[in-house]
Amino acid sequence: MKLTNEIIKIKDLSIGYRTKKDKLILANSLNLSLFQGELVCLIGKNGIGKSTLLRTITKIQNELSGEILIQNKNLHHYKPEELAKKISLVLTERIPQNNLTVYELIALGRQPYTNWIGTLSNFDKEKINSAIKQTGLQDLIHNRCDELSDGQMQRVMICRALSQDTDIIILDEPTAHLDIQNKIEMFKLLENLAHNLKKTILISTHEIQFALEIADILWLMTENGILQGTPEKLIKNNQINQLFDNNYVYFDKNSMHFKVK
Amino acid sequence: MKQKDSYKFSFFTLIIILIFIFFFNISLGSVSIPLKEIFASIFGYSSSNESWHYIIVNFRVPKGITAVLAGSGLSISGLLMQTLFRNPLAGPFVLGISSGASLGVAVLILGASILGGSFILLGHNQIAIAIAASLGSFMVLAFVMLLAKRVKNTMAILIIGLMFGSFTAAIISILAYFSSAENLQQYLFWSFGSLGNLSWNEILIFFIIYTIGIILVIPNIKSLNSLLLGENYAKSMGMNLQKSRNSILLTTSILTGVITAFSGPIAFIGLAVPHITKLVFNTSNHKILIPAVAIFGAIIMLISDTIAQLPNSEYVLPINAITSLFGAPVVIWLLMRKQKLS
C-alpha cells in the first residue's frame, strides 16, 4: 500500500538554542516529511541534535526559524489541548517519584479528552483498556509504578501515549537502559503500532542495526543536515557510512552489518 | 470499584475522628468545664454558668474553627507546592512563603513606629494585617517562581527559598531594631502563632477568604495530576503550563497568606501532613489527596492545639513550638527514607 497521507511536514527548519546574545545552531534548513503509518528512526551520533529536533517538533522547545506543520497546520497555531490530541510523547526523563498505579498512569493519557476535573467516561475507559491490551500490560495494571522494571516502565509509558489516542507518537530513545530482549520486543511493538494501528511513529535511537531492519524511513542526522530515505536507499548509495566520521567503522553491504576495519 | 469504597470508608472514619477531636479540643482548657455544659452551650441551650458559656462560645469554639481552617489550608498549600515543585521537601514554610507573609506583617506593624501616622492604626487592623501577609507571601512566591524558571534544579530552588527566609529574618531584625517596644511585642506575639484571640467577625472574614482559596484549588486538580509525570509530559497532555503554574501559586499564596495573617506563621504542618496522608491513603490522585490532606491537617492542628493549651493548667504554649516539635522529626525521617531509596 502506498502511503500518501502526510502528517508532519518540516520546512526550512533551523534548530538549536538561543542565549541572550548568541544562538547555537545545531541544524539548518531541514526539510522533512512524515506519512501516516510510518515508523521513522532518527539516528546520529551523540550531541548531534537528535533530542533537540524531537523537542522542537513536540513544542517543548522553540525553533530558531522555519516551520513545522502538523496535518497542514502550523505547530504554534494549535492550542495545547488540540496538540495533545495529535502528538503524544515518550521521553527519556524519569518521571518523579509518586504513588500512581500502572492503570492510573495510563489513564492520565486521557487528560486532553476528560472534563475540567478529569472524570473518565466509558469511552475513555475503553480507550485505556484497548491500549493496555495492545501493549500486553493486563497483568500489571494494579501494580505501583515504582515497583516496575525499566522494561515494564517503558512499556507503560508507551501504553500511556497510546491511550492518548494521537496519530503521532514521538519517542526519545525508547530502548535506552533496556536489555536485548526488551529492545527487540520494544521495536516489534512499535512496528506493530505503526503498521497495524496506522500510527505515525518517530523515534530517536542508537540501535542502528534494529533501525535498519525495522524502520520504514531513516533520518540520518549529520553535521550537514538530515539524510532522509529508506534503509535500503541509504545503504545502496553509501550514505549510511556518514553516520560515523572516522575511518575505523564501515558498513558491510554483504552482511548488512557495521564492521570495524 | 473496590478501591473507591475503601476510600469512602477511610473518609468516613477520618471525619468521625475529626468531629471527635474537635469536641475533645473544646472540652479541654485552662478552666475545666463539665461535658454536659459544653454540649449545652454549643447547641444553644442556656448554661447554668454564664462564664462557662462565655468561654465556650467566644473563646474555645472560635479557636477550634481557626485550628480546622489553618490546619487544612496549610496542608493543602503544602501538597500543592510538593506536586508543583515535584519535591517532597517543598512546603509553604520551607519555600519562604511564610517568611514573605511575616515580612509583610513586620513592615506593617514594625514599620508603623518608623513611618508613624495612619500606619499605626493599620497595624492594629486584622484586615490590614491579612492583606499585608497575603501580599508578602505572593511576592516571595512570584520571586521564587521567577528563579525557578531559570534554575532547573529543584533542590536549588528549595535552598533559594531557605535563603530568602534568612534574608527576610534579617530585614525584620533591622525593622525591629528601630521600632517601639510596644510594636515589637505585638509582632513577636503574632510570630509565635496563635489560634485563639479571633472574634467571630474575624473568623467570618477568615472563612470567606479561605473558602475562595479552596474553591480555586478545585480547577487545579487535573493539572496537578498531570504534573505527577513532570512538566514536559504535563505539557504534552495538553496542560497550559504557565497558566496552571500561576493558578496553583496564586491559590497557595491566598491560603497561606490568609492563614498566616490570622494565626501567625505556623511551621511544618504544610510540609509534614501531605506525607502522613500519602502514607495512609497510598495514592497520588489529587481528587482523593486534597480532601484527605485537608481532614488530616485539621485533625493534627487540633491535636497540636490541645497539647499547646496544657489542659487544666493556666499556661498556653505557642502553637508553633508544638507543630515544630512534631514536624521536625517527620522531616528528618523523610530525609532518612529518601537516603535509603537512592
Side-chain angles (χ1 to χ4, degrees), chain A residues 100-115 117-121 123-132 137 141 145 156-165, chain B residues 222 225-226 228-229 237 285 287:
Chain A
L100 288 171
T101 65
V102 169
Y103 187 87
E104 285 173 323
L105 194 155
I106 295 166
L108 283 177
R110 296 305 296 169
Q111 289 242 338
Y113 304 92
T114 53
N115 62 4
I117 203 160
T119 314
L120 295 172
S121 68
F123 182 71
D124 291 324
K125 284 175 190 160
E126 262 170 46
K127 284 281 175 194
I128 293 165
N129 288 332
S130 85
I132 290 169
L137 288 169
I141 55 171
C145 291
V156 169
M157 292 316 285
I158 290 176
C159 184
R160 188 210 60 79
L162 212 52
S163 81
Q164 201 173 325
D165 197 23
Chain B
K222 191 173 165 180
N225 280 336
S226 329
L228 289 173
L229 301 186
M237 294 187 295
N285 184 352
K287 244 192 259 182

Side-chain angles (χ1 to χ4, degrees), chain B residues 105-126:
Chain B
V105 174
V107 168
L108 186 73
I109 298 179
L110 302 179
S113 33
I114 302 164
L115 297 167
S118 54
F119 255 78
I120 294 172
L121 286 172
L122 281 175
H124 291 283
N125 185 335
Q126 204 59 249

Side-chain angles (χ1 to χ4, degrees), chain A:
Chain A
M1 196 183 91
K2 197 162 160 42
L3 301 160
T4 47
N5 194 358
E6 193 174 37
I7 301 272
I8 301 182
K9 186 164 185 62
I10 292 170
K11 281 190 199 163
D12 250 342
L13 184 72
S14 171
I15 57 166
Y17 294 89
R18 210 186 289 270
T19 56
K20 264 182 198 157
K21 294 174 193 162
D22 215 10
K23 49 185 180 180
L24 172 69
I25 298 169
L26 285 171
N28 242 332
S29 48
L30 301 173
N31 285 292
L32 300 157
S33 294
L34 257 136
F35 294 92
Q36 190 180 1
E38 269 182 351
L39 173 60
V40 177
C41 290
L42 172 62
I43 54 177
K45 60 181 184 183
N46 281 333
I48 197 86
K50 295 191 299 295
S51 289
T52 310
L53 176 61
L54 295 188
R55 290 164 66 89
T56 310
I57 297 177
T58 54
K59 217 179 156 185
I60 292 176
Q61 123 178 31
N62 283 333
E63 68 272 14
L64 297 178
S65 65
E67 208 179 6
I68 298 166
L69 299 173
I70 310 288
Q71 289 173 341
N72 288 322
K73 187 171 162 185
N74 188 305
L75 183 67
H76 294 281
H77 297 163
Y78 281 97
K79 286 186 195 136
E81 232 163 68
E82 284 172 359
L83 191 64
K85 291 174 185 173
K86 298 286 176 200
I87 304 178
S88 55
L89 290 185
V90 177
L91 302 164
T92 39
E93 63 183 44
R94 279 175 184 276
I95 60 166
Q97 211 189 339
N98 61 50
N99 278 332
L100 288 171
T101 65
V102 169
Y103 187 87
E104 285 173 323
L105 194 155
I106 295 166
L108 283 177
R110 296 305 296 169
Q111 289 242 338
Y113 304 92
T114 53
N115 62 4
W116 66 283
I117 203 160
T119 314
L120 295 172
S121 68
N122 285 332
F123 182 71
D124 291 324
K125 284 175 190 160
E126 262 170 46
K127 284 281 175 194
I128 293 165
N129 288 332
S130 85
I132 290 169
K133 238 177 251 161
Q134 291 290 344
T135 43
L137 288 169
Q138 291 92 330
D139 296 336
L140 289 176
I141 55 171
H142 297 301
N143 287 43
R144 302 216 154 263
C145 291
D146 44 13
E147 294 165 351
L148 301 179
S149 71
D150 286 344
Q152 288 168 332
M153 192 60 205
Q154 196 63 297
R155 203 166 261 273
V156 169
M157 292 316 285
I158 290 176
C159 184
R160 188 210 60 79
L162 212 52
S163 81
Q164 201 173 325
D165 197 23
T166 55
D167 287 334
I168 307 158
I169 304 176
I170 294 179
L171 306 94
D172 192 6
E173 290 190 38
T175 56
H177 319 295
L178 300 187
D179 61 23
I180 188 81
Q181 186 184 334
N182 275 306
K183 274 178 187 165
I184 295 170
E185 284 177 10
M186 188 60 58
F187 275 107
K188 277 286 163 200
L189 173 65
L190 295 175
E191 190 186 33
N192 174 41
L193 298 181
H195 296 164
N196 296 331
L197 295 183
K198 294 285 165 253
K199 301 279 179 193
T200 305
I201 295 180
L202 171 61
I203 72 171
S204 67
T205 182
H206 287 289
E207 303 297 329
I208 296 147
Q209 208 57 52
F210 285 126
L212 283 173
E213 284 169 34
I214 259 169
D216 298 309
I217 299 288
L218 287 180
W219 286 3
L220 193 139
M221 199 164 186
T222 68
E223 273 93 353
N224 307 319
I226 291 180
L227 301 166
Q228 183 176 220
T230 60
E232 294 77 27
K233 185 185 144 205
L234 291 185
I235 291 168
K236 205 173 142 201
N237 55 22
N238 280 329
Q239 283 172 321
I240 194 80
N241 277 315
Q242 294 189 29
L243 187 57
F244 300 99
D245 53 1
N246 62 44
N247 296 321
Y248 308 120
V249 183
Y250 73 102
F251 189 78
D252 182 41
K253 286 182 188 170
N254 297 323
S255 64
M256 297 288 279
H257 272 78
F258 280 94
K259 291 209 164 152
V260 181
K261 270 181 194 165

